[in-house]
Amino acid sequence: MPPFAAAQSWHKGERTAHALLRSPSSSHRNPTTPGLPPSYAHRLASCPLLAVGALDAAGRPWASLWTGSPAGERGFAGPVSGGGGGVLGIQAFVDPEGGDPVVEALFEGHEGEGGVVQPEGGRVWAGLGIDFETLDRVKVAGRMVVGKKGDGGEVQVAGGAKGFVRVERNEEGEGGVVLVYPEYSGNRLYQSLGNLLGGDARIGVVVPDYETGDVLYVTGTAEVVTGEEAGRVMPHAKVVVRVVVDEGRFVKNGLTFRGMEEEPSPYNPPVRRLAVEGALPAAGEEKGKATATLVKREIITDGIARFTFRLAPERDGVIKRWRAGQYITLDFSEELDHGYSHMRDDDPQSLNDDFVRTFTISSPPPTGDAQGEGKVKAGTEVQLTLRRHGPATNMLWRQNIQAQLEVPILGFGGEEKFGMMTAGDRKAVFIAGGVGITPLLAQAAEVLAAGRAASVLWTLRAEDLALAVDVFEKIPGLAQVTTLFVTKAKEGAGLVSKVEEMGAEVELGRISQQRVLGSTGSKYFLCTSPELVKILLGWLEGEEVVAESFNY
């Protein structure tokens, strides 16, 4: 085979993936090249890890993960001299008795001079070289002609967030085990996805535990799920892969190397949960999706503003009613997704950013029989009080209100238990940091009207005191049950006096443990930074605490 032949055209499965996902890659050059060009060989040689796949005797694919030395040194895979530029040598440490299904599949046969002699033509195999530092990866495929066995190794790993592969079903007998993972945009060539859509959906998966050395090997059949159906399986996802497991193999200490945990990569996309795990439900019924149109913007401080959106279902669909304290999830991808880039050190999250954003609704839900059976009529408005941070909020700040920005609604969510009315006979204590006050805004009027015993401890920078003034003006009676902990107070002395005149108690400086524990027998609701939540949970050990999570 000529080592430097012209690049191949996209195969049927890849073209299907490009059309399905509206990827512009179909008009670009296919980087797949016969042979082993020097540029690809060099990149393979720089990779400390190699994911390897092979078919067992039944034709089922398995995957494994190999390295080449105790220190995880690069260079264990590279071109073989005299091979005509098309032969790849791999000097990996693998344990022949370690239960690695790829080792078993590749090295079945009889020993000959120089190693295991492969059948005529060689066994089919594929590999993926991975460089976690540069995010570079190189895919290779071919036939194995001869090989030897070894073992051992330790390597420093960087990797994706734990838990991105979810378990949809785990049963014995019919139904079996089903795994689900979201398809990330990557380089938008969708070649792996194209292989699954090309007529043979068999798949091999390896799940390593770098700390313990335990490894799970799985083989099965994949189903590519897109569009609304994907959202029903895994909310927020546009493409997911569902793997029906045919056979799994768990091997203790199966890895021939260990990994040392480092700081997670800033490029890691967030972990998503399945709908069956209680993730965010769909906003619209089967008849159509809902949209939100920006109709008003009110600047409160230099970095905080209130945005009003008008809701509408598509066609004759409906929108499910949200509850006080919940959030809305909006899809800004059509406005903000500008295509693929390999590395963006100035904004690493943008590479796998799907531009889906979750914002707590700061206006109370609609009431009255006119809404009907938990449904919201078209034209209902929601308000979002947001701090300016990131591409979505920056766009909202700049957006021309007259231009009618319309974005899809993916749903409403948030724990019902975060409602302060769930405190029963106990006093409800809401502790907020900055714009973390927003879950309270949608329920404060109801809480106060019910005469519920409640207090608010709110930490706020002096530069954001205008937000407190705005909130107290809109919700009469809230100031009288609120203590503000104001930092950098010299910058907002005038507004400090104003909020005190409105009835709020003001303390200069940070919140203290003594003030937090001033209400024994209370139920606490925390909505602040992860760092302060951790401190508060320590102070409130033994108390009933609910902490809002904005991980999605």
Side-chain angles (χ1 to χ4, degrees):
M1 180 183 294
F4 310 120
Q8 299 177 358
S9 61
W10 302 105
H11 64 62
K12 179 181 177 181
E14 292 168 329
R15 293 195 300 270
T16 299
H18 296 161
L20 193 64
L21 303 176
R22 299 178 182 177
S23 171
S25 300
S26 56
S27 61
H28 298 170
R29 174 184 177 273
N30 188 335
T32 303
T33 302
L36 188 62
S39 60
Y40 288 10
H42 172 75
R43 291 163 64 186
L44 273 170
S46 68
C47 294
L49 291 176
L50 184 68
V52 184
L55 303 177
D56 64 14
R60 302 176 305 178
W62 294 89
S64 185
L65 194 61
W66 294 354
T67 188
S69 73
E73 294 154 349
R74 304 168 190 268
F76 71 94
V80 175
S81 300
V87 178
L88 177 69
I90 304 173
Q91 296 179 323
F93 284 104
V94 291
D95 183 355
E97 306 301 330
D100 186 326
V102 173
V103 172
E104 295 177 4
L106 288 176
F107 294 100
E108 286 177 353
H110 62 275
E111 291 285 346
E113 186 177 352
V116 175
V117 178
Q118 299 290 321
E120 184 177 356
R123 286 188 169 89
V124 174
W125 75 282
L128 173 67
I130 307 171
D131 188 332
F132 288 113
E133 292 183 9
T134 65
L135 301 186
D136 194 19
R137 62 265 192 205
V138 184
K139 295 179 181 179
V140 291
R143 293 181 179 272
M144 194 168 199
V145 179
V146 67
K148 295 182 179 180
K149 303 176 183 179
D151 63 357
E154 181 176 324
V155 63
Q156 178 175 315
V157 180
K162 296 179 180 179
F164 78 95
V165 177
R166 314 301 294 177
V167 179
E168 184 180 45
R169 184 185 302 139
N170 187 15
E171 302 172 358
E172 294 185 7
E174 187 175 355
V177 179
V178 178
L179 308 178
V180 175
Y181 64 87
E183 176 68 24
Y184 298 111
S185 59
N187 56 16
R188 300 197 177 182
L189 299 181
Y190 298 112
Q191 291 182 289
S192 297
L193 203 64
N195 289 338
L196 297 176
L197 292 168
D200 188 345
R202 291 176 298 175
I203 187 172
V205 178
V206 58
V207 184
D209 186 325
Y210 297 114
E211 296 181 20
T212 66
D214 299 340
V215 59
L216 173 65
Y217 302 100
V218 168
T219 187
T221 303
E223 175 192 7
V224 179
V225 184
T226 63
E228 293 183 19
E229 186 180 354
R232 287 192 289 269
V233 175
M234 179 175 279
H236 317 301
K238 297 179 180 178
V239 183
V240 299
V241 178
R242 178 189 275 128
V243 179
V244 179
V245 176
D246 179 43
E247 183 179 331
R249 179 183 299 183
F250 180 74
V251 180
K252 296 283 292 184
N253 299 314
L255 290 180
T256 55
F257 61 94
R258 296 293 184 271
M260 297 177 290
E261 186 174 356
E262 296 288 334
E263 287 295 319
S265 169
Y267 290 92
N268 285 349
V271 172
R272 294 172 176 167
R273 295 191 302 163
L274 298 170
V276 295
E277 297 177 277
L280 183 66
E285 300 284 7
E286 295 296 322
K287 294 180 180 179
K289 293 181 178 178
T291 58
T293 300
L294 180 62
V295 295
K296 189 176 182 180
R297 175 178 54 227
E298 302 167 81
I299 304 299
I300 300 173
T301 74
D302 288 343
I304 299 174
R306 180 167 48 249
F307 300 89
T308 302
F309 287 84
R310 183 172 296 129
L311 309 184
E314 285 188 1
R315 301 187 297 278
D316 57 346
V318 296
I319 306 172
K320 293 182 179 179
R321 183 179 181 272
W322 72 91
R323 299 185 300 273
Q326 285 195 303
Y327 51 75
I328 187 172
T329 301
L330 303 175
D331 183 356
F332 292 90
S333 60
E334 291 187 9
E335 303 293 331
L336 296 174
D337 194 344
H338 301 303
Y340 166 72
S341 175
H342 177 58
M343 294 282 279
R344 292 180 188 165
D345 289 336
D346 59 330
D347 187 16
Q349 282 289 314
S350 67
L351 289 195
N352 266 307
D353 192 343
D354 53 15
F355 300 106
V356 172
R357 295 293 186 268
T358 297
F359 302 123
T360 301
I361 299 173
S362 53
S363 54
T367 58
D369 296 337
Q371 304 304 322
E373 298 181 356
K375 307 294 175 61
V376 176
K377 63 182 179 181
T380 299
E381 294 184 349
V382 297
Q383 292 181 340
L384 309 177
T385 305
L386 309 177
R387 182 177 295 280
R388 188 173 187 174
H389 176 72
T393 52
N394 274 306
M395 184 192 70
L396 293 176
W397 246 264
R398 299 189 305 265
Q399 178 68 27
N400 179 0
I401 298 296
Q402 306 304 318
Q404 293 289 297
L405 172 68
E406 183 179 276
V407 294
I409 302 172
L410 298 186
F412 301 100
E415 297 289 347
E416 185 175 4
K417 63 184 181 182
F418 201 70
M420 294 179 70
M421 296 297 287
T422 64
D425 296 332
R426 291 160 296 172
K427 183 178 182 180
V429 180
F430 193 99
I431 304 178
V435 291
I437 197 70
T438 51
L440 172 65
L441 303 185
Q443 55 184 312
E446 179 186 9
V447 170
L448 294 170
R452 171 170 298 285
S455 65
V456 179
L457 307 178
W458 187 5
T459 66
L460 200 63
R461 294 179 297 188
E463 63 198 66
D464 292 329
L465 274 170
L467 174 62
V469 173
D470 179 85
V471 166
F472 295 152
E473 288 178 343
K474 290 185 174 298
I475 308 176
L478 184 60
Q480 284 71 25
V481 298
T482 299
T483 300
L484 281 174
F485 299 87
V486 181
T487 59
K488 301 181 180 179
K490 292 182 180 179
E491 301 176 12
L495 289 180
V496 167
S497 298
K498 185 169 180 61
V499 295
E500 287 179 323
E501 292 172 2
M502 299 176 80
E505 181 182 353
V506 176
E507 291 193 12
L508 304 183
R510 300 182 180 277
I511 192 170
S512 66
Q513 182 177 7
Q514 181 180 4
R515 290 307 307 268
V516 170
L517 295 177
S519 302
T520 58
S522 301
K523 182 173 182 179
Y524 293 86
F525 302 83
L526 314 183
C527 191
T528 183
S529 68
E531 295 78 12
L532 183 53
V533 165
K534 185 176 181 179
I535 294 173
L536 291 170
L537 290 175
W539 292 349
L540 294 170
E541 186 175 358
E543 301 287 342
E544 184 173 1
V545 180
V546 178
E548 177 67 294
S549 171
F550 290 99
N551 290 338
Y552 211 92

